[in-house]
Amino acid sequence: MPSSKTSTKPLLISAGVALAAITLGIVSWQATAPAESGSSGSGSGAVAAPRTDPAAELKALARRDSGDKLAVGRADAPVVLIEYSDFKCGYCGKFARDTEPELVKKYVADGTLRIEWRNFPIFGAESEAAAKAAWAAGQQDRFDAFHAAAYADGSKDKGFAGPRLVELAREAGVPDLERFTADMAGEQAAAALKKDQEEGYRIGVTSTPSFLLNGKPIAGAQSLDTFTAAIARAKAEAAKQ
């Protein structure tokens, strides 16, 4: 994986999660396209479930929930980009500042693309706290503004301790900071984070940012041209279905 494109951190993944990833036949995240999905799976006897199309399974991870506070774009958009990211990840910040706004402007605005965020903190307690804070900001419809503030150039260098997260929420225009603080520490935020993390672990995500574009993986903060070409292909494929 190109060191200039992703941030990685050792992850403690349970044996059950690792087995699930193997059973699903998850494609490699080392490339910007899925590996050949032929019949290379080596099952573990009667325990292994029948193999299905891994790309189809990954594509089905798009939630397409019109009420998703951490998503932008039409729920029925032909192309869905799922983004697994960490607010302390420098390359995630680069994507958020340099590439994502162009994708929103060009493809979300015309109904082609939907972007769904998955909190995937891998850099410890402050990463997890920032993830919960982003979720809490989203409950007041300020996720996008919080996302922009947290990924602003130099923001991560200030850390994501409690007072800093409240400062970011204020900067993002979150109207009720008391509710924000309570939501951030609540069970729903923890459950939402766990859901995103377990999804990422299950499909083999180990670095950020990692993406699924209509079920096809893109590893790292690739160039705008890479995403543009991938979106064009995905849109054309969707039109044929």
Side-chain angles (χ1 to χ4, degrees), residues 101-115:
E102 296 301 316
L103 298 181
V104 171
K105 185 189 306 181
K106 185 171 183 178
Y107 298 110
V108 174
D110 74 359
T112 296
L113 179 67
R114 174 178 175 83
I115 302 175

Side-chain angles (χ1 to χ4, degrees), residues 14-227:
S14 70
V17 171
L19 177 59
I22 294 170
T23 302
L24 284 173
I26 298 307
V27 295
S28 172
W29 289 88
Q30 303 298 320
T32 59
E36 292 297 320
S37 60
S39 56
S40 59
S42 56
S44 40
V47 176
R51 287 287 299 279
T52 58
D53 180 6
E57 293 187 32
L58 293 174
K59 185 177 180 180
L61 292 175
R63 295 170 186 171
R64 293 186 178 275
D65 178 3
S66 59
D68 188 344
K69 302 287 190 178
L70 277 61
V72 61
R74 291 170 40 177
D76 62 350
V79 184
V80 179
L81 179 69
I82 302 175
E83 175 184 352
Y84 299 87
S85 288
D86 183 325
F87 284 104
K88 291 195 73 175
C89 161
Y91 298 113
C92 298
K94 178 176 175 57
F95 173 80
R97 292 189 299 272
D98 299 344
T99 305
E100 192 164 23
E102 296 301 316
L103 298 181
V104 171
K105 185 189 306 181
K106 185 171 183 178
Y107 298 110
V108 174
D110 74 359
T112 296
L113 179 67
R114 174 178 175 83
I115 302 175
E116 296 186 356
W117 174 272
R118 303 287 191 267
N119 275 306
F120 198 73
I122 59 175
F123 292 105
E126 284 199 359
S127 288
E128 293 197 0
K132 293 175 182 177
W135 181 90
Q139 303 317 293
Q140 299 186 54
D141 299 315
R142 302 304 295 167
F143 172 77
D144 287 349
F146 185 94
H147 175 279
Y151 276 137
D153 198 15
S155 180
K156 79 180 183 69
D157 297 332
K158 299 178 182 179
F160 294 115
R164 170 65 177 154
L165 293 173
V166 174
E167 178 185 335
L168 286 170
R170 185 179 292 110
E171 183 179 338
V174 174
D176 188 339
L177 293 178
E178 285 191 15
R179 177 189 169 189
F180 167 80
T181 302
D183 284 347
M184 182 170 56
E187 292 182 1
Q188 284 184 289
L193 173 57
K194 182 179 180 182
K195 180 180 179 180
D196 286 355
Q197 287 179 308
E198 288 183 345
E199 178 181 295
Y201 291 147
R202 184 167 59 87
I203 63 173
V205 177
T206 58
S207 65
T208 56
S210 288
F211 306 89
L212 290 176
L213 186 73
N214 277 14
K216 296 181 180 180
I218 298 176
Q222 302 291 334
S223 68
L224 177 61
D225 287 345
T226 296
F227 282 96

